[in-house]
Amino acid sequence: MITQFVEEVPAGKSTPDFTRKPIALTIQEGKLAVLKAIVVGRPTPTVSWTRNDGEMDGGDYDMVYDAHSGEHRLQIPDVAVEHTDIYKCFARNEYGKAVVTAALNVIEVGYNKSRALQKSRTAMREGPENFKKLLRST
């Protein structure tokens, strides 16, 4: 979505726009998650990232600009399930702003179901009465 701040943009100037939008990403926890965007506009827009549900404080996020490729990247090293969210990339200059969204889904490794399965197998070996107790507790 692009919002224009002025009624008429002067010749040689332009509102921000995305030539490459970040795409939805599904990734396993513990990996490096990277959302990428390429932005154009005159004057050169400033780029920022936010998330819908939560703050982007602490050392969890790296906002990187690669001048060679023109890519703006939001990098989340050692991504965790808590990072699952909708992320927004904003590009802004004096003539307008543009925003795009991308979903980040993080898949939990070592899902608790495997622990429950391991407990049930142990209970079956120990005897039927322990297995019945385990079944009642879950």
Side-chain angles (χ1 to χ4, degrees), residues 30-48:
K31 304 286 185 181
L32 170 65
V34 181
L35 298 173
K36 303 173 186 178
I38 297 179
V39 178
V40 294
R42 287 187 166 253
T44 303
T46 57
V47 174
S48 60

Side-chain angles (χ1 to χ4, degrees), residues 49-96:
W49 297 84
T50 63
R51 62 182 286 191
N52 272 359
D53 300 326
E55 296 296 317
M56 291 180 55
D57 53 358
D60 286 358
Y61 304 91
D62 296 322
M63 294 175 208
V64 178
Y65 174 68
D66 182 343
H68 178 70
S69 66
E71 263 184 356
H72 292 270
R73 295 190 298 258
L74 175 63
Q75 299 179 165
I76 310 170
D78 195 26
V79 71
V81 175
E82 301 82 53
H83 294 119
T84 296
D85 206 345
I86 302 293
Y87 289 81
K88 294 179 182 178
C89 184
F90 291 92
R92 180 184 204 102
N93 68 14
E94 61 189 89
Y95 300 107

Side-chain angles (χ1 to χ4, degrees), residues 5 9 14 19-20 22 24 31 39 42-43 69 80 89 91 95 99 104 128:
F5 296 151
V9 178
S14 66
T19 58
R20 180 176 176 186
K31 304 286 185 181
V39 178
R42 287 187 166 253
S69 66
C89 184
Y95 300 107
V99 62
L104 174 64

